[in-house]
Amino acid sequence: MISVAGATLLAATAVAAALPKGIPLHLDHGFWYTKFSVGHQDFNLTVDTGSFAVLISQGLYKPTPVSNSTNQGEFLQFNGASADGTAPASEVFTFVHDDVKFDGIGVQGFLVGNITNGDPLPADGIIGFSPPATDITDPDDPTFLAGQSLVQAICDEEKISPCEFGLALKTDGTGTLSFGPLDKSKVKGKLTTLPTFSHDAWQVNNSSEADSPILVLNGKSFGDIVATFDNGTPNIIGPLETVRAALQAAGYDLQEVTSDDITTVLGTYDCSRPPARFGFSFPPSTEVHYVDANANVLNRTADGKVCTANVLGTSTLDVPQWQIGQTWFQGRWVQHNLDKSTIAFADLRSVR
Ligand SMILES: *[C@@H]1O[C@H](CO)[C@@H](O)[C@H](O)[C@H]1NC(C)=O
Ligand SMILES: *[C@@H]1O[C@H](CO)[C@@H](O)[C@H](O)[C@H]1NC(C)=O
Ligand SMILES: *[C@@H]1O[C@H](CO)[C@@H](O)[C@H](O)[C@H]1NC(C)=O
Ligand SMILES: *[C@@H]1O[C@H](CO)[C@@H](O)[C@H](O)[C@H]1NC(C)=O
Ligand SMILES: *[C@@H]1O[C@H](CO)[C@@H](O)[C@H](O)[C@H]1NC(C)=O
Ligand SMILES: *[C@@H]1O[C@H](CO)[C@@H](O)[C@H](O)[C@H]1NC(C)=O
């Protein structure tokens, strides 16, 4: 038994070593982009650990001689499809089988979502990296299909075991996505490892309230939360009433907007004052992992006097749900393990 495990490990290490050093990612207005090829077409897609499938924006996908349509798909609603996190997007799509390529790694007959009716998405669409959907198919609805995990397909293709990938997003708008194990030479300090749900989202699987993640504001606990890590969310997003209270506690002015029955709140403040610091801690450790100071600011007025904090409250999230978006990822390596269902993170040695 031991030798078999050892052999598997060696093989995995050997293959992982031959993998690309890291696929480059680029930040623009709250989203991280990467190149992904379907057939002969190159697309510029948003890397999203909060959703499952690869989806190409309406009208862009062209069939190829090897592609075929499944006539199966689904309808999805996304939150946070704009840089400030406020825009919702609805998408109807059907899947096609086509050959895809991601930084030299090819997968034949992969399920690509062809959006047939949808709201605008950033650039050419979305490349999902969440754990698999709970229900991939629905026996009562033959037209329903949730898609296919790109990470799993790449792990199968490249024999990466355990199946994992890391996101290293720097504070200068550049980043990398790496399949295989965490590159220890790129990180410093302690590694925090958290159990996560096996399906649907990189949500922390706390076993009690006592070990649930904690929202921290300026060094003080602001309550226990249910935390989902999602680099495809442009900011930190929490329930309307909690965010309202936190922004008020920080001494910020509230900017509330209601449209289509959804209320959102952002906070503005005088840029010359020290900004409030938002972060999270993960018991039993009491260490606080703050959002990078620059990523903390969504925007400022042209005269540089009024800043908007990059924390969004929305009536679409119920207490105590929070989404830990890309601002928090900046300056960290975040490792996602699909087989063990864990997220592990550490500070990057070099953040720019
Ligand atoms: C992808 O789209 C983003 C957002 O429009 C843009 O900033 C970036 O330069 C594009 N990347 C490529 C390779 O075209
Ligand atoms: C992809 O979607 C478009 C609508 O945006 C549709 O016209 C086209 O037939 C679809 N292609 C395939 C292969 O399903
Ligand atoms: C469609 O493509 C898939 C994957 O390439 C293949 O397994 C399947 O046989 C194809 N179906 C048809 C009807 O050509
Ligand atoms: C959460 O963790 C428990 C205990 O390890 C496990 O039984 C359960 O399946 C996990 N939940 C999910 C949704 O992965
Ligand atoms: C996880 O933590 C949240 C927030 O404290 C809590 O509401 C939930 O009940 C906890 N889950 C379990 C299984 O105890
Ligand atoms: C900052 O972003 C918010 C939310 O999108 C917007 O309402 C506000 O007008 C922006 N402020 C500036 C100065 O661009």
Side-chain angles (χ1 to χ4, degrees):
M1 292 293 276
I2 287 168
S3 69
V4 172
T8 311
L9 195 68
L10 268 180
T13 309
V15 171
L19 282 170
K21 276 279 167 282
I23 301 167
L25 308 180
H26 164 73
L27 176 69
D28 189 3
H29 288 86
F31 297 100
W32 291 85
Y33 294 94
T34 192
K35 202 179 94 172
F36 186 77
S37 310
V38 184
H40 304 298
Q41 289 182 284
D42 283 344
F43 294 111
N44 183 10
L45 304 182
T46 300
V47 171
D48 180 19
T49 60
S51 65
F52 179 51
V54 173
L55 302 180
I56 307 297
S57 292
Q58 187 177 350
L60 297 185
Y61 173 75
K62 304 275 180 292
T64 59
V66 299
S67 69
N68 66 55
S69 183
T70 62
N71 296 317
Q72 291 175 297
E74 65 171 316
F75 164 75
L76 274 186
Q77 267 182 307
F78 292 92
N79 288 320
S82 59
D84 64 5
T86 59
S90 303
E91 312 295 335
V92 179
F93 49 89
T94 53
F95 286 101
V96 293
H97 286 285
D98 205 343
D99 295 349
V100 300
K101 210 168 231 186
F102 193 30
D103 201 59
I105 307 170
V107 179
Q108 287 185 339
F110 185 77
L111 286 174
V112 177
N114 175 31
I115 296 175
T116 53
N117 190 1
D119 293 321
L121 291 171
D124 301 337
I126 299 180
I127 181 168
F129 288 94
S130 77
T134 309
D135 298 309
I136 300 286
T137 55
D138 178 355
D140 298 327
D141 179 0
T143 67
F144 176 89
L145 186 62
Q148 184 184 2
S149 165
L150 179 67
V151 192
Q152 194 61 60
I154 286 177
C155 287
D156 293 347
E157 184 73 32
E158 302 286 312
K159 302 191 171 47
I160 301 168
S161 177
C163 185
E164 54 182 331
F165 70 97
L167 281 180
L169 308 185
K170 297 192 177 188
T171 59
D172 66 356
T174 67
T176 53
L177 187 157
S178 315
F179 293 103
L182 183 152
D183 184 347
K184 294 210 172 74
S185 72
K186 299 270 167 55
V187 299
K188 61 178 185 189
K190 251 193 292 174
L191 183 72
T192 302
T193 303
L194 305 167
T196 47
F197 281 3
S198 54
H199 288 81
D200 302 315
W202 293 106
Q203 182 177 318
V204 177
N205 187 1
N206 52 290
S207 58
S208 67
E209 202 160 309
D211 69 357
S212 67
I214 294 167
L215 172 69
V216 179
L217 174 60
N218 288 333
K220 290 202 197 86
S221 164
F222 214 80
D224 297 314
I225 62 166
V226 167
T228 298
F229 291 89
D230 175 5
N231 93 300
T233 288
N235 37 24
I236 304 295
I237 304 189
L240 186 63
E241 40 278 57
T242 316
V243 173
R244 208 189 261 145
L247 295 173
Q248 275 170 334
Y252 289 1
D253 294 323
L254 303 185
Q255 311 291 329
E256 251 179 70
V257 178
T258 301
S259 135
D260 293 335
D261 287 335
I262 297 172
T263 303
T264 57
V265 66
L266 285 162
T268 55
Y269 60 97
D270 180 342
C271 300
S272 64
R273 62 157 274 187
R277 300 221 61 192
F278 284 85
F280 302 92
S281 70
F282 303 94
S285 168
T286 54
E287 193 180 343
V288 184
H289 305 274
Y290 285 106
V291 174
D292 177 75
N294 289 319
N296 224 358
V297 189
L298 172 65
N299 62 19
R300 55 190 88 215
T301 48
D303 59 10
K305 288 192 175 142
V306 181
C307 284
T308 304
N310 213 344
V311 177
L312 176 73
T314 172
S315 57
T316 60
L317 282 184
D318 294 328
V319 176
Q321 298 275 347
W322 280 73
Q323 285 176 13
I324 302 183
Q326 64 85 23
T327 51
W328 181 87
F329 282 64
Q330 290 187 35
R332 302 191 163 93
W333 180 297
V334 184
Q335 186 71 8
H336 304 74
N337 190 315
L338 280 170
D339 292 336
K340 291 186 190 148
S341 297
T342 58
I343 265 201
F345 64 86
D347 290 342
L348 287 172
R349 212 174 269 282
S350 146
V351 298
R352 4 186 106 245

